[in-house]
Amino acid sequence: MTVKKLIEKIEGEAELDFSFNNGQIEDVRIGFGFYRGIEEILAGKAPRDALVITPRVCGICNHAHLIAAVHAIENGYENAGIEVVLSDKAKQIREFTLACELIQNHAKWLYMTILPQFEKLIGIESEENHALKASYLSTTITKALAIFAGQWPHSSYAVPGGVTCDPTYVDIMQAQSLIDESIRFFEQMMTGMKFKAYLAIESVSELSQIEGDFGRLLYLLGSHEMAKKGQSHDRFIVFGEGMGFRSGKSIATSVSRVDVRYVEEALQEGTTAKAVTYKKRQYEVGPLARGMVAKTPIVKSLHKRYKDSLLTRVFARVHEVGTLLHYAKNLLSTIDVREDSCVLESHLLSSEFEGSGVVEAARGSLIHNVEVKNRKIVKYDIIVPTQWNLSHGTEEEKGVAVKAMIGSESMEEAAFIFRAFDVCSVCTTQ
């Protein structure tokens, strides 16, 4: 028996076709019906137009697309013989703003998707105003981002050679104040414990210290026997670096290097989304992958007990809010406002190049590839994180999220596991 279900309460919409056998889900087909053709729109445009157009791919992770686009152009310039050496100031500002975007995304996912959807799944009517909490933290952290980027979403302040902003010491102090405000929210509402004490947690045995909304979610997952559900291939991959992340792939706890040249896309039947593999194999991307590749102690401890389960996946995403707040706070203290914001002259342009830009977006590794001839884009390719996690898979093995949902006893349970990947259909169908 096959049943179709429209999944909302994600970034965009998705359609899941569930196949049942003996009361359990045997297979799932994931469909994304929309298509906007951003890659086709970019063809024939000047390379720098990508800095304005690609952030429009998504309203949530738009900043990641901007940084990936500027990295691709800079890489192309370097391949064409134009040296691009950013100032530390420009690098730090880019990292800070990207970290802010990840924080606001994870906060919205926690309060607008995963917590209320799980309460619905288990039949709890909460009196908590989850939307207000999501709005408070995401607004606060976005204000810090906008000090440098000018606006959010859809800013275009990052340009080849650096950034267009030139912050003052007052700007830095304002950003620090907003980060401190976000940390207080993390302490008082999300975890119910001091920030330093939370960051010191390294073992599953210490999870009982976590209170607040995060602690409540962890308790509910465990008490309703959901902790070990949602396991997949237990393979992880990260291509971006910065913000404390490192590139690599993790298989059976062993971490090794990766090369973006082995990433392959493929068309899929019944959906506008392309599948993506690394050396023909399925890999999970995102916060859990980043934690596994970086060998984050608490993520490794959870993985040792629960593998790549729902609990480990959920924990890794919320945990990044804390680690990124810590990273962003330290980053602000190192910015030297006296350094140049941009080091590349505007007239230094290459008429022909190929470049690749990689960043870690909220949902995982984001890759932009650009080919330019006669100062016009002839090909632009965007590979987004959700393509990795939500593909149908191959004849040899199921897709990451599909495998995680197989064995679920209801569509509602499977849909919750699906949402734990922080789905973004608008990026996937760009």
Side-chain angles (χ1 to χ4, degrees), residues 284-299:
E284 179 172 343
V285 299
L288 176 52
R290 293 192 283 255
M292 290 299 295
V293 171
K295 297 187 176 182
T296 304
I298 182 57
V299 175

Side-chain angles (χ1 to χ4, degrees), residues 15-28:
E15 193 174 78
L16 303 184
D17 293 344
F18 294 105
S19 297
F20 284 85
N21 185 21
N22 294 325
Q24 290 188 332
I25 291 174
E26 183 180 48
D27 196 13
V28 187

